[in-house]
Structure formats: C-alpha cells, structure tokens
Amino acid sequence: TPYGLAATRDFTTALARAGFVIWSGLAFGIDAAAHEAALDARAISVAVQAGGLDEIQPPAHSPLARRIVANDGLLLTEAPCGLRPLRGHFPRRNRLIAAGAEAVLVVEAGERSGALHTAHHAADLGRAVFAVPGPYTSPRSRGCHRLIAEGATIASDPITLLRALAVD
C-alpha cells in the first residue's frame, strides 16, 4: 500500500544512514522499496533470491539487482543456477534473510505473508523482531498486529527503532 511503501522508505533510510546493511527479497513492493531506499542512502543492500542467480526474479528487477551489486551490495541464494523460484523455495529465502540480518522489521504483512515466516525464523535465531503497526481496518496490517501480540517490539517510528537497536 502507499502507507507501507512510505513507511519502508522512512525506516530503511534511517537504518541505512545509521550504518545498517539492508537485507530483503528483491520482490515487488516493500522488498524493492527497501533496496531502493538503501541505495539512495548510499548503504549496502543484500538481495536474497528464491531461485538461481542466473535469472533475476522478477525480471523487471534486473536493473535494481545490477544497481545493488554496483554499489558493493550482494545477491544471495541457496538455489543452484537454473532453478526457478517456485512457491516452496520462498521459506528458504526468508530463512536466509532472517539469518543474515541483525534484526527483522516487518512493515506490512497480511495474515499469511512470507514476512511472517521471516519474522518467526528471526525469533527462532534470537534476532530482534520489530513490527510497524498499521490501520486496524487494513488486511495488510493484520500480520504486523499479530506479531506485536506475539511479542514483537512495536516500531512506531524510525527514531524509536534506532533507539531500540541501541543506535543514537
């Protein structure tokens, strides 16, 4: 949603300027917005793919992938070349994102979002999990609200998040 994209840009810009490496999945929407905001802030970004590196998915993000690499970032996958990203590959991708990141921030997530899998993997690994609250009427906020009910820290704004991550 426009709310999710704006929040992603705000939080990612603050994290990038504080020196964090931004990990995401190169997908449409929030993933791409996070990578773009990191690059705009001159930060390193890591894009984790569900398929092989020989074929960027989605293909429309090939320029974004090239920009990530050109700016000292990284494309990462467990999949061999030639393997297309199938539905069952995304949980592995989400596990890699959770393992590589110092903390996980979920900006927007429906009740069955892959971002929830990433958050649960992060919690299992002892990583901090944060969730941005959204409008209670929005189906795209229900996953974040559930994470908060399960114990994720509320990320009410970028400054509060940075303080929670012990960045002044």
Side-chain angles (χ1 to χ4, degrees):
T1 67
Y3 169 81
L5 293 173
T8 298
R9 283 189 293 274
D10 292 346
F11 279 93
T12 301
T13 299
L15 290 163
R17 288 183 178 157
F20 286 89
V21 173
I22 306 302
W23 289 66
S24 199
L26 201 63
F28 288 115
I30 286 179
D31 285 3
H35 292 302
E36 289 168 354
L39 292 168
D40 290 346
R42 302 185 199 282
I44 294 173
S45 187
V46 176
V48 183
Q49 289 210 146
L53 291 179
D54 57 325
E55 188 176 334
I56 300 301
Q57 290 293 329
H61 286 172
S62 293
L64 178 58
R66 284 191 295 276
R67 190 171 164 216
I68 288 168
V69 172
N71 286 280
D72 298 325
L74 179 67
L75 300 180
L76 183 68
T77 186
E78 285 185 325
C81 287
L83 185 67
R84 294 191 48 96
L86 302 173
R87 184 180 196 116
H89 300 162
F90 287 90
R92 286 191 345 214
R93 179 202 69 175
N94 296 340
R95 181 183 48 77
L96 277 175
I97 293 169
E102 181 177 329
V104 169
L105 171 67
V106 180
V107 174
E108 218 172 32
E111 292 182 89
R112 297 179 51 142
S113 169
L116 300 179
H117 294 120
T118 305
H120 289 122
H121 285 303
D124 289 345
L125 293 168
R127 307 288 196 264
V129 177
F130 297 88
V132 177
Y136 73 92
T137 57
S138 173
R140 301 277 181 159
S141 295
R142 290 186 184 135
C144 288
H145 296 165
R146 188 170 93 209
L147 286 173
I148 292 165
E150 292 172 352
T153 302
I154 295 174
S156 56
D157 61 77
I159 292 171
T160 303
L161 174 62
L162 291 174
R163 285 189 184 130
L165 292 169
V167 177
D168 291 323

